[in-house]
């Protein structure tokens, strides 16, 4: 689908809200589609964190860096699954959300996108094989780690089907069902994975378990498709296999910037692990992953919000730009207010979190805790970028993201090559934060041209003011953070100070009154339901 030019809209920061049942129903639907999947995802991440604790305590900090090799295999899977998806899931959600009444068109687009995803997945097998050979020959990847990469790559095929069905469910604003399926298959994955660890199956066993869980997920989504969308034919579109066909070329061209966008926001900042591996070895990968593991929780927030809003964004982009602008700035305000206490509490509890994850094993403190304390500062920039990218996609301006990707990829790789050999995993953490800032500039510029200038100063001054107060209080109590491990009696006071910091932030924000009366009315409508 070619990109269409759209006239620039005048910024309207607070248009009249819809009244009556439509407003209440829309607010309730967005709230349900945000909260239910978010709760399910938090449960899943807690489960996976427990799984990670078992992995670190049984396999971590070994001289061979065995767990580090499996972590690298998982990151390879993240990259290849994003490439094989090619933005086609987001594209399918957007187009079906616009034309939900046309069942033949929905069925046709589903088959076309699924066929392309499977074709791209198969095509990725060769470059993955070359990557395995490279890392086996030159960069301390073990044979077991190589097998783990190969096995996980096979899971791209059933994953393509599950992702396509999920995209259709998102288009019909049924976000809770995929979240429930995710819980079921995560429980299966963790149960089988722990059994594999205890039986001594190593990283190959973990990879086989992940493949089994992916296949089970695909089977469940097949049953969902047969039950809820019997009219949606899930066969392959053989014309889509011919990449010279106009339909395939159109989808690939439209999906290309979406794929780059997904790489950038969701996965790109893990490229540092490919630099950490040859520079610091598997042990360095384990240290950095220990810090990064806790970001998996906060990284749930933006997708939970944007996926619930995206179908509405797509409709408002076509016929109600003022409403899109209002919902965009309102969402940014709420997320920025949320980011400050998360940053403060993560910095305060970082040593404790790393100790819990690793069981206090030597080799992780203080390096992993320091990396986590740096990494968490990416959060407010990530919130803004995460929401803004979906606004640009709703406006059919996803091709602009390619430029931002090109700028940021050069910066990210160059900064990692400079900083990781110099200051280790802290250099990778600093690069992650700076890369989000580099991305922020063009994103805000482009959305400003479409919806009017983003009132960024009015959005950030209250969180920054409240955050500065927290920093001063935390600095004054720093001795408790440093001494809690040496004196167990200080732990209760250490934890109590963290809770107190969060409560003070809530009080300060309440005094500063960041939300307008209409925004408060909308929030009250959501919470009443």
């Amino acid at each position: 689908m070619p990109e269409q030019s759209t006239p620039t809209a005048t910024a309207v920061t607070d248009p009249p809200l819809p009244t009556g049942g439509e407003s209440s129903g829309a607010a309730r639907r967005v709230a349900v589609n945000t909260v239910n999947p978010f709760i399910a995802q938090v449960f899943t991440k807690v489960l996976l964190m427990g799984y990670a604790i078992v992995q670190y305590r049984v396999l971590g900090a070994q001289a061979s860096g065995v767990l580090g090799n499996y972590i690298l295999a998982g990151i390879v899977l993240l990259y290849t699954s994003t490439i094989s998806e090619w933005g086609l899931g987001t594209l399918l959600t957007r187009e079906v959300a616009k034309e939900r009444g046309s069942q033949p068109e929905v069925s046709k687009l589903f088959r076309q996108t699924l066929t392309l995803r499977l074709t791209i997945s198969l095509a990725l097998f060769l470059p993955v094989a070359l990557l395995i050979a490279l890392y086996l020959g030159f960069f301390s990847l073990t044979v077991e780690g190589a097998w783990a990469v190969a096995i996980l790559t096979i899971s791209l095929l059933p994953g393509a089907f599950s992702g396509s069905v999920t995209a259709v469910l998102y288009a019909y604003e049924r976000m809770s069902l995929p979240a429930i399926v995710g819980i079921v298959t995560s429980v299966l994955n963790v149960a089988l994975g722990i059994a594999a660890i205890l039986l001594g199956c190593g990283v190959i066993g973990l990879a086989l378990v992940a493949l089994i869980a992916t296949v089970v997920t695909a089977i469940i989504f097949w049953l969902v498709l047969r039950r809820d969308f019997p009219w949606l034919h899930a066969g392959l579109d053989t014309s889509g296999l011919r990449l010279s066909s106009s339909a395939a070329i159109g989808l690939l061209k439209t999906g290309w910037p979406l794929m780059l966008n997904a790489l950038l926001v969701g996965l790109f900042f893990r490229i540092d692990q490919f630099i950490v591996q040859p520079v610091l070895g598997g042990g360095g990968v384990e240290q950095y992953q220990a810090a990064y593991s806790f970001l998996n929780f906060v990284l749930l927030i933006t997708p939970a919000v944007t996926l619930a809003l995206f179908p509405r964004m797509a409709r408002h982009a076509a016929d109600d730009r003022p409403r899109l602008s209002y919902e965009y700035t309102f969402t940014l305000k709420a997320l920025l207010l949320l980011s400050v206490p998360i940053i403060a509490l993560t910095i305060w509890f970082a040593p404790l979190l790393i100790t819990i994850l690793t069981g206090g094993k030597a080799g992780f403190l203080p390096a992993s805790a320091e990396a986590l304390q740096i990494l968490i500062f990416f959060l407010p920039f990530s919130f803004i970028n995460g929401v803004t990218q979906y606004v640009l996609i709703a406006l059919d301006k996803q091709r602009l993201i390619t430029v931002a990707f090109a700028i940021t990829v050069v910066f990210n790789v160059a900064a990692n090559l400079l900083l990781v050999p110099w200051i280790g995993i802290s250099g990778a953490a600093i690069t992650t934060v700076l890369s989000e800032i580099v991305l922020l500039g063009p994103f805000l510029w482009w959305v400003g041209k479409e919806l009017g200038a983003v009132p960024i100063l009015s959005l950030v001054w209250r969180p920054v003011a409240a955050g500065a107060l927290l920093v001063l209080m935390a600095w004054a109590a720093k001795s408790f953070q440093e001494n809690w491990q040496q004196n167990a009696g200080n732990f209760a006071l250490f934890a109590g100070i963290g809770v107190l910091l969060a409560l003070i932030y809530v009080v300060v924000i309440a005094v500063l009154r960041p939300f307008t009366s209409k925004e408060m009315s909308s929030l009250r409508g959501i919470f009443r339901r």
Side-chain angles (χ1 to χ4, degrees), residues 133-463:
L134 177 65
Y135 269 72
L136 273 173
F138 299 98
F139 303 126
S140 69
L141 181 67
T142 64
V143 174
E144 290 79 7
W147 273 108
V149 174
I151 293 169
L152 291 179
T153 302
I154 297 172
S155 68
L156 292 175
L157 300 174
F161 178 79
S162 299
S164 297
V165 178
T166 298
V168 173
L169 290 170
Y170 284 166
Y172 285 88
E173 299 186 61
R174 297 181 58 185
M175 283 75 174
S176 298
L177 183 55
I180 294 171
V181 175
I183 289 177
V184 173
T185 53
S186 293
V187 170
L188 175 65
N189 185 26
V190 170
L192 294 178
I194 291 176
I197 291 174
L198 296 178
L199 291 172
C201 298
V203 298
I204 296 178
L206 294 180
L208 286 171
V209 164
L211 176 59
I212 292 170
T214 307
V215 172
V216 171
T217 303
I219 293 172
I220 294 174
F221 275 117
W222 171 266
L223 297 175
V224 169
L225 195 68
R226 294 299 88 208
R227 185 194 68 181
D228 296 346
F229 301 93
W231 49 267
L232 201 161
H233 302 295
L236 298 179
D237 180 1
T238 55
S239 64
L241 293 172
R242 298 192 301 271
L243 298 183
S244 60
S245 69
S246 58
I249 291 175
L251 288 171
L252 290 173
K253 288 177 64 176
T254 306
W256 165 252
L258 294 173
M259 184 272 289
L260 292 181
N261 186 35
L263 275 174
L264 179 61
V265 175
L267 305 172
F268 172 70
F269 296 112
R270 302 312 314 276
I271 200 170
D272 42 26
Q273 292 284 34
F274 291 98
I275 298 173
V276 170
Q277 171 79 22
V279 174
L280 303 177
V285 173
E286 292 177 11
Q287 284 183 334
Y288 192 54
Q289 180 64 22
Y292 207 94
S293 294
F294 294 98
L295 297 191
N296 290 330
F297 288 94
V298 296
L299 287 172
L300 295 174
I301 298 172
T302 306
V305 174
T306 53
L307 287 175
L309 288 173
F310 185 56
R312 293 171 55 81
M313 288 178 179
R315 292 193 292 272
H316 293 329
D319 54 30
D320 194 351
R321 292 289 184 88
R323 181 67 186 177
L324 176 61
S325 177
Y326 172 77
E327 292 186 349
Y328 169 58
T329 54
F330 184 21
T331 303
L332 288 186
K333 182 184 296 185
L335 290 176
L336 288 172
L337 289 170
L338 180 62
S339 68
V340 172
I342 294 175
I343 292 172
L345 293 177
T346 301
I347 293 173
W348 183 254
F349 287 109
L352 175 62
L353 294 174
I354 297 300
T355 300
I356 291 173
L357 175 64
T358 63
K361 279 190 174 183
F364 291 97
L365 289 176
S368 294
E370 291 172 352
L372 176 58
Q373 290 169 331
I374 297 169
L375 276 169
I376 195 60
F377 279 98
F378 93 111
L379 188 61
F381 310 109
S382 177
F383 278 165
I384 298 174
N385 289 333
V387 177
T388 304
Q389 58 152 337
Y390 273 92
V391 172
L392 290 170
I393 294 169
L395 292 166
D396 201 21
K397 297 297 180 181
Q398 60 270 11
R399 294 185 182 280
L400 293 174
I401 297 170
T402 306
V403 179
F405 177 84
I407 295 171
T408 312
V409 69
V410 172
F411 172 82
N412 189 279
V413 173
N416 271 304
L417 289 173
L418 174 66
L419 295 179
V420 170
W422 181 25
I423 52 178
I425 61 173
S426 291
I430 292 170
T431 299
T432 296
V433 178
L434 295 178
S435 297
E436 287 282 2
I437 297 173
V438 169
L439 180 63
L440 183 67
F443 269 21
L444 290 182
W445 172 262
W446 291 326
V447 82
K449 291 178 66 176
E450 295 296 321
L451 301 179
V454 180
I456 197 69
L457 290 178
S458 67
L459 293 175
V460 304
W461 80 263
R462 291 178 179 87

Side-chain angles (χ1 to χ4, degrees), residues 92-111:
L92 181 60
T93 297
R94 186 184 72 184
E95 297 307 312
V96 173
K98 291 179 181 178
E99 302 291 342
R100 293 195 294 199
S102 178
Q103 292 183 356
E105 286 300 315
V106 172
S107 183
K108 178 181 177 181
L109 187 58
F110 176 83
R111 293 195 308 272

Side-chain angles (χ1 to χ4, degrees), residues 337 466 504-514:
L337 289 170
I504 290 173
Y505 178 77
V506 172
V507 172
V508 173
I509 287 298
V511 172
L512 294 177
R513 301 180 65 182

